[in-house]
């Protein structure tokens, strides 16, 4: 067993940390306050190859592994939850399904610009009446000659307003048991009938774009079907298993930032004639946060390692997502407590960590859904 990062993984951590500290960090308060998606930051991330870390060079990627990508999400999340969420969604949801299940032509046409960071992709699974129960998808795709005609509505879709391509799930028929067959289809956002609006006023991750999509008689070639039409449901479960590693990494980044801010403040703040870090009540909070950050990191990296080594990782990615995101929320909450009244103020940033962390317990499968996944893996 080797807990050391490889030379490449350490270099990626340093490169992303430097970029996050120098370029993203000075903008994070403004990104949150103005709820503005930082297009220029994503352009720079594209130029650095961050959007293509886990994809091979032949498809415009950087040829890295899942662990390197998780480290990149962690480092971006450490400074900005909004940028971290949009980054994780672009790679894990917008681009990865094309890499996992796409044909060679689809990879060249659609994956390459995403991996090169020249365009963003989105993944539209959630609908107004199909959230945790994604099998309840109502969007339909009906064959008409060489095309699909898609009708339906998607909600809460990350990056959609800035995306060049959407991957949408839709009912394409019924199996022999009479159950809906759900397939994934690539839809360029400039196709007639695609309407994307982003009017949500969110609690956190305010600089990450979140949009509603209406698909009104949207016609795309049948060649845009992604993967095996009979296996659409298991394909997106696999996609979500991978995506959970990145949301867990984002939680880890926010938890790490909470620890650093709380520790620094506890050493500086004096009450009753000494630094509050001398009080055991404060020390115990810091010790608990530090331990949970370390456990989260072990879980996230192990899930990524399993995926990289082609071993089953469904249970471990659910463990990591559940534990690291709940750790992020607890750590941010305690960081506010350690800051006292100042922690309630925007400029100290820890209140933003709490607002951003809350989303991680909901998106890509709620904490309850992670527990269901784990229980199923245990054989319940
Ligand atoms: C900012 C943001 C970004 C998002 N980005 C995307 C995206 O890019 N693409 C996308 O497709 N979706 C996205 N989502 C949607 C997100 O994945 C869903 O909100 C989430 O899966 C929960 O679905 P729901 O909101 O319909 O809640 P519901 O499914 O209605 O759940 C409500 C509550 O009931 C609980 N619950 C439901 N079923 C069970 C059960 N069987 N057992 C126990 N408890 C249960 C849930 O855990 C939750 O607490 C995003 C959401 C947000 C807020």
């Amino acid at each position: 067993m080797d807990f050391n990062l490889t030379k490449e993984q350490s270099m990626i951590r340093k490169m992303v940390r430097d970029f996050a500290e120098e370029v993203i960090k000075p903008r994070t308060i403004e990104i949150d306050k103005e709820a503005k998606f930082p297009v220029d930051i994503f352009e720079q991330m594209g130029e650095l190859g961050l959007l293509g870390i886990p994809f091979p060079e032949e498809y415009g990627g950087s040829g890295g592994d899942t662990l390197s990508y998780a480290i990149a999400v962690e480092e971006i999340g450490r400074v900005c939850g909004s940028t971290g969420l949009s980054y994780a969604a672009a790679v894990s949801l917008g681009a990865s399904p094309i890499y996992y299940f796409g044909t060679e032509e689809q990879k060249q046409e659609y994956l390459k610009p995403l991996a090169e960071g020249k365009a963003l992709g989105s993944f539209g699974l959630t609908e107004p009446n199909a959230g945790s129960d994604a099998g309840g998808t109502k969007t339909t795709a009906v064959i008409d000659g060489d095309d699909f005609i898609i009708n339906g509505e998607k909600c809460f879709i990350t990056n959609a307003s800035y995306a060049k391509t959407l991957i949408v799930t839709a009912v394409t028929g019924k199996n022999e048991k009479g159950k809906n067959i759900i397939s994934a289809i690539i839809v360029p956002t400039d196709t007639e009938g695609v309407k994307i609006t982003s009017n949500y006023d969110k609690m956190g991750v305010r600089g990450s774009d979140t949009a509603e999509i209406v698909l009104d008689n949207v016609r795309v070639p049948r060649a845009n079907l992604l993967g095996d039409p009979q296996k659409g449901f298991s394909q997106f479960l696999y996609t979500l298993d991978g995506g959970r590693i990145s949301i867990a990494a984002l939680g880890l980044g926010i938890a790490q930032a909470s620890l650093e801010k709380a520790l620094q403040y506890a050493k500086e703040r004096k009450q009753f004639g000494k630094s509050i870090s001398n009080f055991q009540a404060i020390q115990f909070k810091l010790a608990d946060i530090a331990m949970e950050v370390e456990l989260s990191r072990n879980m996230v990296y192990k899930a990524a390692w399993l995926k990289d080594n082609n071993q089953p990782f469904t249970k471990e990615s659910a463990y990591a997502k559940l534990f690291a995101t709940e750790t992020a929320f607890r750590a941010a909450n305690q960081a506010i407590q350690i800051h006292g009244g100042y922690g309630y103020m925007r400029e100290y940033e820890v209140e933003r960590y709490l607002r951003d962390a809350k989303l991680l317990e909901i998106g890509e499968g709620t904490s309850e859904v992670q527990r269901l996944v784990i229980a199923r893996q245990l054989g319940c």
Side-chain angles (χ1 to χ4, degrees):
M1 200 179 254
D2 183 358
F3 283 97
N4 292 308
L5 297 181
T6 63
K7 204 170 138 210
E8 290 75 26
Q9 289 158 352
S10 300
M11 276 165 54
I12 286 188
R13 180 182 303 282
K14 182 173 181 327
M15 188 256 283
V16 181
R17 179 168 292 203
D18 289 348
F19 175 76
E21 288 284 338
E22 285 161 27
V23 179
I24 307 177
K25 198 172 177 183
R27 305 260 304 274
T28 48
I29 292 177
E30 164 211 323
I31 287 170
D32 173 62
K33 203 168 180 178
E34 294 180 5
K36 209 167 155 202
F37 179 75
V39 179
D40 59 319
I41 288 179
F42 273 81
E43 283 166 2
Q44 293 180 65
M45 285 165 62
E47 283 161 20
L48 284 175
L50 301 190
L51 274 305
I53 290 180
F55 309 119
E57 287 169 18
E58 62 193 294
Y59 302 125
S62 317
D65 54 14
T66 311
L67 183 49
S68 302
Y69 163 55
I71 290 168
V73 178
E74 175 189 348
E75 290 299 333
I76 293 172
R78 182 175 156 271
V79 301
C80 182
S82 292
T83 309
L85 179 69
S86 278
Y87 173 51
V91 177
S92 292
L93 301 181
S96 291
I98 307 176
Y99 175 54
Y100 299 146
F101 311 115
T103 60
E104 187 57 32
E105 292 75 37
Q106 288 170 342
K107 287 178 189 169
Q108 291 298 340
E109 184 172 355
Y110 297 112
L111 175 60
K112 225 169 165 212
L114 302 179
E116 286 171 347
K118 294 185 177 146
L120 278 180
S122 258
F123 185 74
L125 174 67
T126 306
E127 299 186 358
N129 292 306
S132 302
D133 180 14
T137 298
K138 293 276 181 293
T139 296
T140 56
V142 177
I143 291 173
D144 182 43
D146 287 336
D147 297 332
F148 277 115
I149 298 181
I150 309 172
N151 280 290
E153 202 178 320
K154 301 284 175 182
C155 62
F156 305 146
I157 308 305
T158 303
N159 297 336
S161 318
Y162 295 86
K164 191 159 183 272
T165 47
L166 309 170
I167 298 169
V168 297
T169 50
V171 176
T172 47
K174 290 208 183 285
N175 66 14
E176 62 283 357
K177 290 181 190 152
K179 279 185 91 178
N180 282 341
I181 297 171
I182 299 174
S183 309
I185 301 169
I186 304 170
V187 179
T189 47
D190 57 4
T191 314
E192 207 184 320
V194 176
K195 192 166 164 239
I196 300 172
T197 42
S198 142
N199 293 321
Y200 297 114
D201 189 6
K202 302 198 294 288
M203 167 186 178
V205 290
R206 291 174 55 76
S208 173
D209 176 63
T210 314
E212 274 179 291
I213 303 172
V214 175
L215 303 147
D216 182 12
N217 284 319
V218 173
R219 187 179 278 274
V220 295
R222 282 173 71 177
N224 283 21
L225 182 78
L226 194 55
D228 182 338
Q230 301 293 325
K231 294 189 185 149
F233 200 77
S234 60
Q235 284 175 13
F236 75 67
L237 290 184
Y238 181 84
T239 300
L240 292 179
D241 283 347
R244 280 168 191 157
I245 298 175
S246 64
I247 298 300
L250 184 51
L252 170 59
I254 294 176
Q256 175 69 39
S258 303
L259 172 63
E260 289 173 21
K261 283 256 188 231
L263 182 60
Q264 188 193 354
Y265 186 82
K267 286 179 182 168
E268 285 165 11
R269 174 71 173 169
K270 286 199 170 58
Q271 288 293 280
F272 301 96
K274 37 175 128 156
S275 296
I276 60 169
S277 63
N278 287 296
F279 303 138
Q280 203 174 48
I282 301 292
Q283 290 174 357
F284 281 12
K285 287 188 201 302
L286 290 165
D288 284 347
I289 302 174
M291 176 185 65
E292 292 196 15
V293 167
E294 184 64 14
L295 287 173
S296 300
R297 185 166 289 114
N298 286 344
M299 284 180 161
V300 174
Y301 291 9
K302 181 174 177 190
W305 181 89
L306 288 169
K307 183 169 186 283
D308 283 332
N309 285 277
N310 298 317
Q311 294 186 37
F313 62 97
T314 299
K315 186 173 64 188
E316 288 76 7
S317 65
Y319 283 160
K321 202 268 183 185
L322 176 59
F323 190 75
T325 63
E326 294 196 350
T327 290
F329 189 81
R330 277 192 296 271
N333 194 26
Q334 292 294 31
I336 296 173
Q337 196 66 20
I338 289 170
H339 279 71
Y342 295 98
Y344 208 68
M345 305 299 149
R346 229 185 247 271
E347 69 172 291
Y348 286 81
E349 300 194 86
V350 284
E351 62 82 40
R352 188 185 76 240
Y353 298 166
L354 185 86
R355 291 187 283 107
D356 289 352
K358 186 63 212 169
L359 180 269
L360 309 182
E361 297 180 344
I362 297 170
E364 272 190 64
T366 60
S367 286
E368 291 77 13
V369 165
Q370 303 312 312
R371 288 181 169 91
L372 287 178
V373 170
I374 295 165
R376 222 170 279 145
Q377 289 287 315
L378 294 176
C380 295

